[in-house]
Amino acid sequence: MTRRVLSNAQIATMPPEGGYGIVDKGYVAIEAGRLAYVGADLPAEYAAWPCEDVEGRLITPGLVDCHTHLVFGGNRALEFEMRLNGAGYEEIARAGGGIVSTVTATRTATDGALIASALRRLDALISEGVTLVEVKSGYGLDAETELRMLRAARQLAVRRDVRIRTSFLGAHAVPGEYSGRADAYLDEVCLPTLRAAHSEGLVDAVDGFCEGIAFDTSQMSRVFDVANELGLPVKLHAEQLSHLGGTALAARYGALSADHIEHANTADAAALAAAGTVAVLLPGAFYTLRETQAPPVAALRDHGVPIALATDCNPGSSPLASLLLTMNMGCTLFGLTPAQALSGVTCHAARALGVKDAGSIAPGMRADLAIWDVETPGELAYRIGFNPLYQRIFGGKE
Ligand code: DI6
Ligand code: FE
């Protein structure tokens, strides 16, 4: 069925300018995997197409998780226990736990095991209407494993009806064998691996972790210079645990997004606005690490910075595979409105990935939709641990 119409829908079109953009008792016409028409009256040319009455249900764009680390080996439940017995996240990282312990588990995992465990997390996202997911490397930190991670991430889109965008995160941590020699790691491993991954067509964007336990701004700018040279967009984990200047750096490079940004300030918000960079907020990490410094949401709003929300699904700081719960946390922990939360997992999340044909319901967009058994769009962020998905449409197909 390459042509179809959905009728009697409450459509949250999610325009980038903000708000739900509701069309009541509306129609969506789909042709060859794209949206052909969206509106309150059905033009005569679509009248003969097969039509499904969705009985007043809510249609949103397919949800977009724009920041995940879905591919990794092992888990860090023991570290969770350590933290609850009093150890700090940075302390555990400095003692060889944290990201570096997941690196060991990822290096020793087979390709099949990496894909199988990522699929379980991906299936959880898909069950909530997610149709586009970003996946980062960054738990290999050697050439072979970084490439294996990116290939595994791309495999996910072969195994499931979902779009995957891959980000190279070689600058995630300094591996044990380069301890205390971050610059040598960049020169000898990270940058050559970025070039190799790019020439294999595995990289959609270049990311980094700009933090006291990872890389500083001058090291990150060396990575971004290579990204620029390769014509790849950048994004950055910035200002998660401290204020190092990563947000301003991301803005200077015209980044797609600056992510976390709990410790960013008003000047950073102004810089993001001027650069057109999306602020990606990650309440799952804030919650898991029991952080107390919330991101500067008021300043982001005042400056008109587009705000996205993502799971940051990873084994350490955010073992979270629910975008609906992420929306709820964005509202409850960061004070977003339910409409901002939904923009954050649709139009603004797509923009954080540089994907132009997802995240809004408008003619020409891909027909990636979620149909929900709810009466109002605010219900999506309101409930905790409840999934009202009725139907997920990917490329026009159920
Ligand atoms: N910030 C995060 O929240 C994750 N990576 C990053 O740079 C945490 C990754 C981990 O703890 O394994
Ligand atoms: Fe992350």
Side-chain angles (χ1 to χ4, degrees):
M1 179 164 48
T2 65
R3 288 175 158 187
R4 64 197 285 213
V5 172
L6 303 172
S7 69
N8 195 14
Q10 182 188 178
I11 307 164
T13 59
M14 305 316 293
E17 311 78 62
Y20 294 124
I22 292 288
V23 176
D24 243 331
K25 297 201 171 57
Y27 298 84
V28 177
I30 299 170
E31 182 170 32
R34 301 254 152 202
L35 302 179
Y37 172 81
V38 180
D41 306 293
L42 192 67
E45 55 192 292
Y46 306 108
W49 292 16
C51 183
E52 180 187 346
D53 181 341
V54 303
E55 299 170 331
R57 292 187 178 86
L58 175 73
I59 302 185
T60 67
L63 304 189
V64 180
D65 194 351
C66 67
H67 179 140
T68 85
H69 308 248
L70 271 197
V71 174
F72 58 82
N75 74 70
R76 305 238 291 279
L78 279 177
E79 191 180 299
F80 178 64
E81 297 208 32
M82 282 170 75
R83 280 204 309 278
L84 285 160
N85 280 298
Y89 180 72
E90 287 168 284
E91 184 189 337
I92 291 168
R94 289 188 204 284
I99 294 173
V100 167
S101 71
T102 297
V103 169
T104 307
T106 304
R107 287 178 179 176
T108 51
T110 62
D111 294 348
L114 288 178
I115 292 168
S117 68
L119 282 173
R120 297 190 62 184
R121 298 181 275 273
L122 177 63
D123 286 340
L125 295 175
I126 285 174
S127 75
E128 293 184 347
V130 172
T131 51
L132 169 59
V133 181
E134 185 257 18
V135 181
K136 303 175 194 297
S137 71
Y139 288 120
L141 309 184
D142 62 26
E144 183 197 335
T145 317
E146 285 292 304
L147 293 170
R148 287 206 302 126
M149 284 187 74
L150 293 168
R151 292 184 201 120
R154 290 287 177 91
Q155 263 299 308
L156 301 177
V158 177
R159 310 286 177 103
R160 294 292 185 272
D161 282 337
V162 70
R163 272 208 286 182
I164 298 287
R165 286 281 162 149
T166 46
S167 300
F168 177 79
L169 181 57
H172 192 196
V174 180
E177 60 274 21
Y178 278 91
S179 184
R181 296 187 299 133
D183 282 290
Y185 166 71
L186 292 180
D187 289 325
E188 292 166 23
V189 180
C190 179
L191 296 174
T193 305
L194 168 56
R195 291 179 189 281
H198 172 66
S199 64
E200 205 179 308
L202 291 172
V203 185
D204 296 310
V206 176
D207 197 350
F209 190 21
C210 188
E211 195 57 63
I213 52 173
F215 299 92
D216 64 24
T217 51
S218 65
Q219 288 162 338
M220 274 323 307
S221 62
R222 296 213 289 128
V223 177
F224 284 179
D225 286 338
V226 175
N228 267 352
E229 180 201 317
L230 299 175
L232 293 169
V234 302
K235 40 181 54 244
L236 189 63
H237 289 68
E239 262 78 80
Q240 180 188 7
L241 308 168
S242 61
H243 191 278
L244 273 198
T247 311
L249 177 81
R252 263 204 309 288
Y253 279 84
L256 289 172
S257 68
D259 301 39
H260 289 287
I261 67 164
E262 280 88 338
H263 292 261
N265 57 33
T266 306
D268 294 324
L272 293 178
T277 298
V278 177
V280 177
L281 307 186
L282 304 168
F286 175 89
Y287 167 85
T288 300
L289 300 181
R290 295 191 293 161
E291 296 290 336
T292 51
Q293 169 79 48
V297 168
L300 296 172
R301 276 192 191 129
D302 289 349
H303 287 89
V305 178
I307 299 173
L309 284 172
T311 60
D312 194 16
C313 181
N314 78 67
S317 65
S318 191
L320 168 63
S322 167
L323 209 44
L324 291 176
L325 179 54
T326 302
M327 291 169 67
N328 175 269
M329 288 176 166
C331 295
T332 304
L333 300 175
F334 295 161
L336 298 186
T337 66
Q340 287 171 329
L342 190 55
S343 297
V345 297
T346 55
C347 55
H348 297 330
R351 176 166 165 175
L353 298 179
V355 173
K356 296 205 165 33
D357 63 353
S360 294
I361 298 182
M365 295 292 213
R366 260 184 68 97
D368 294 343
L369 304 169
I371 309 180
W372 307 93
D373 247 325
V374 299
E375 286 172 20
T376 61
E379 289 177 56
L380 297 180
Y382 151 70
R383 291 194 187 83
I384 301 169
F386 182 78
N387 181 1
L389 187 74
Y390 169 74
Q391 194 182 112
R392 174 182 179 273
I393 294 179
F394 181 75
K397 294 195 208 86
E398 271 167 50

